């Protein structure tokens, strides 16, 4: 299946409930500690933060979703405009279509809609086997990106092709890319999570951040196994992966890199919990996509709701700003304690 066609089908499939994980991201097993005598007003709370040297009005980024087709242009434009207005980060989906066909670069040119915010591009780690650092950097310059995320997605790739190859070179390619590219590199998953072992391995590279993209939200195993009619693989592996809360804890223990918590983040309380567990930013994908289908204003509204919920969460645990929030303690329960065992 051609990359562009697959991308457009992902847009439809991702918003179907059956393609979300049944299991949760385990953030419900993180309890924040209430502080009913915070001693300041809600209006005094400052949610601003910075990430890789860029300012964010609050710690949220819309993670990579799509790119490279006419349809994707419309969605990305709505998201880019809303993120610019609200002062949060935005990532384009995989640049693969533009590397395969130069004429598609035009669909990735979003900078005019979001001149000020942190704009990421995205590529699959397997693509680093095929394209030079120079070629990728020249694309990043052309679209005026601030950074690039490289996705690890073995489970997804195997749903597309159970005999897929090229995985053995991924680590050395990422290491080389992070050394030679003139852009900051973020490594991410796509919904199956980053383990302690993976985060530890990435420590020896020059990457700047890890987006755990854990389980509990969108399941690419379900999406791509549906797309490629692999019913049995979907039944066996559809719920496979490290829940987001567990993945953030593991990554924090293993690594000093900045952390993005994504995978099933659906409200502002979950953003606050992610930051207390060790993340620097939280990220959303499918919720933004659903709103982007309706238009820029709907995405904007979603971002406003998440910001308000984060602000209330900060107030209720007595954190006046993001630094104070990150120092707060949380109580971990049940399964999450099992995941968090040394
Ligand atoms: C339609 C769609 C397409 C996606 N495409 C990409 C992609 O090209 N590259 C990537 O790294 N992640 C991609 N993702 C994964 C997201 O960036 C994110 O890690 C994942 O969906 C978990 O977040 P969520 O539960 O909020 O959706 C995509 C997600 C969706 C919903």
């Amino acid at each position: 299946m051609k990359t562009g066609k697959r991308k457009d089908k992902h847009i439809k499939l991702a918003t179907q409930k059956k393609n979300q994980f049944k299991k949760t991201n385990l953030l419900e097993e993180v309890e924040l500690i209430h502080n009913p005598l915070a001693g300041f007003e809600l209006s005094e709370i400052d949610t601003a933060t910075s990430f890789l040297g860029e300012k964010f009005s609050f710690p949220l980024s819309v993670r990579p979703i799509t790119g490279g087709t006419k349809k994707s242009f419309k969605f990305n434009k709505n998201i880019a405009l809303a993120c610019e207005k609200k002062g949060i980060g935005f990532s384009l989906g995989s640049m693969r279509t533009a590397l395969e066909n130069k004429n598609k670069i035009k669909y990735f040119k979003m900078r005019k809609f979001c001149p000020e915010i942190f704009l990421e591009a995205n590529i699959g780690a397997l693509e680093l086997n095929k394209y030079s650092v120079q070629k990728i950097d020249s694309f990043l310059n052309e679209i005026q990106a601030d950074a690039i995320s490289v996705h690890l997605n073995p489970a997804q790739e195997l749903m597309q092709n159970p005999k897929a190859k090229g995985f053995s070179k991924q680590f050395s390619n990422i290491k080389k890319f992070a050394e030679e590219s003139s852009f900051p590199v973020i490594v991410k998953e796509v919904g199956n999570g980053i383990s302690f072992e993976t985060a530890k391995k990435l420590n020896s590279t020059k990457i700047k951040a890890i987006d755990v993209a854990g389980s509990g939200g969108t399941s690419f195993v379900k999406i791509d196994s549906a797309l490629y009619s692999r019913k049995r693989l979907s039944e066996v592996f559809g719920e496979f992966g490290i829940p987001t809360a567990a993945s953030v804890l593991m990554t924090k223990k293993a690594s000093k890199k900045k952390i993005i918590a994504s995978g099933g983040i659906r409200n502002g309380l979950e953003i606050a919990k992610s930051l207390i567990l060790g993340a620097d930013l939280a990220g959303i994908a499918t919720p933004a996509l659903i709103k982007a289908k309706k238009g820029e204003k709907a995405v904007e509204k979603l971002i406003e709701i998440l910001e308000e919920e984060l602000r209330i969460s900060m107030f209720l645990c007595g954190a006046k700003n993001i630094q104070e929030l990150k120092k707060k303690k949380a109580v971990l329960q049940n399964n999450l304690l099992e995941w968090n065992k040394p």
Side-chain angles (χ1 to χ4, degrees):
M1 190 182 304
K2 281 215 165 130
T3 314
K5 194 169 176 202
R6 188 172 59 242
K7 288 271 136 200
D8 282 350
K9 292 205 169 203
H10 281 164
I11 287 178
K12 184 158 180 245
L13 289 165
T15 56
Q16 295 173 356
K17 199 160 184 275
K18 64 174 193 234
N19 291 324
Q20 297 284 300
F21 277 92
K22 281 204 193 88
K23 71 180 188 186
T24 70
N25 60 18
L26 288 189
L27 282 166
E28 76 282 6
E29 295 191 355
V30 180
E31 292 253 19
L32 301 193
I33 301 171
H34 185 211
N35 181 351
L37 199 57
F40 52 82
E41 298 298 329
L42 188 66
S43 59
E44 288 178 67
I45 289 180
D46 179 7
T47 58
T49 192
S50 71
F51 180 77
L52 304 185
E54 297 276 341
K55 287 201 177 94
F56 284 59
S57 71
F58 75 107
L60 185 71
S61 159
V62 174
R63 307 312 298 140
I65 298 173
T66 195
T69 66
K70 230 185 209 170
K71 199 172 178 180
S72 75
F73 184 87
K74 197 180 93 196
F75 291 119
N76 277 335
K77 181 180 168 192
N78 286 342
I79 300 172
L81 287 166
C83 290
E84 175 73 17
K85 190 128 187 226
K86 294 289 149 199
I88 63 163
F90 165 54
S91 178
L92 293 153
S94 167
M95 63 168 76
R96 182 170 165 181
T97 38
L99 293 170
E100 287 168 353
N101 177 353
K102 219 176 171 314
N103 294 330
K104 309 273 176 175
I105 293 186
K106 61 178 183 282
Y107 296 126
F108 289 91
K109 292 193 172 167
M110 288 291 142
R111 193 44 117 183
K112 54 182 176 290
F113 307 120
C114 56
E116 300 294 334
I117 58 169
F118 186 67
L119 175 66
E120 281 170 61
N122 176 265
I123 191 170
L126 285 181
E127 303 311 304
L128 299 181
N129 293 345
K130 294 188 216 148
Y131 300 102
S132 68
V133 180
Q134 292 71 20
K135 181 156 179 155
I136 297 166
D137 272 16
S138 121
F139 170 86
L140 298 176
N141 277 318
E142 196 166 340
I143 65 158
Q144 297 175 272
D146 292 307
I148 175 168
S149 62
V150 178
H151 63 258
L152 302 169
N153 62 341
Q156 181 188 8
E157 292 289 343
L158 294 177
M159 295 306 120
Q160 291 174 18
N161 172 12
K163 298 202 175 7
K165 288 192 217 159
F167 300 104
S168 57
K169 294 191 199 125
Q170 282 183 327
F171 180 71
S172 55
N173 282 344
I174 288 174
K175 198 167 193 292
K176 178 171 182 281
F177 184 65
E179 274 159 20
E180 294 178 9
S181 172
S182 39
F183 291 83
V185 177
I186 299 165
V187 168
K188 77 183 286 291
E189 233 291 328
V190 299
N192 299 96
I194 298 281
S195 65
F196 179 88
E197 203 178 341
T198 304
K200 189 133 193 126
K201 205 164 171 183
L202 289 168
N203 264 338
S204 64
T205 70
K206 293 207 161 134
I207 69 156
K208 299 285 185 219
I210 296 174
D211 174 353
V212 304
S215 303
T218 311
S219 169
F220 260 100
V221 166
K222 293 186 186 182
I223 292 174
D224 272 346
S225 56
L227 206 49
Y228 289 81
S229 309
R230 302 194 204 280
K231 194 163 180 279
R232 185 177 164 110
L233 283 177
S234 174
E235 281 163 11
V236 177
F237 294 104
E239 292 290 317
F240 183 84
I242 308 170
T244 302
S247 191
V248 170
L249 288 168
M250 286 177 179
T251 304
K252 186 70 187 170
K253 259 194 235 167
S255 166
K256 295 244 175 305
K257 310 284 183 193
K258 295 277 177 205
I259 298 174
I260 305 175
S262 76
I265 302 285
R266 301 293 178 256
N267 61 56
L269 178 58
E270 290 186 323
I271 300 176
K273 289 179 177 183
S274 303
L275 265 71
I276 293 177
L277 294 186
D280 299 284
L281 290 183
I284 53 166
T286 293
L289 175 62
I290 292 170
K291 299 299 178 190
K293 288 186 179 184
K294 295 188 180 143
E296 170 206 342
K297 290 277 173 238
V299 185
E300 240 180 85
K301 184 80 197 146
L302 169 70
I303 299 171
E304 273 166 21
I305 290 169
L306 296 175
E307 182 175 16
E308 182 177 47
E309 291 169 350
L310 170 66
R311 195 176 283 274
I312 295 173
S313 309
M314 290 171 71
F315 186 67
L316 293 179
C317 57
K320 217 171 179 181
N321 55 47
I322 298 298
Q323 289 93 312
E324 283 184 19
L325 179 68
K326 283 171 71 62
K327 285 189 200 135
K328 294 286 173 192
K329 299 242 176 318
V331 178
L332 310 187
Q333 299 168 341
N334 306 325
N335 265 341
L336 191 55
L337 287 175
E338 290 297 315
W339 279 101
N340 197 34
K341 276 188 178 158

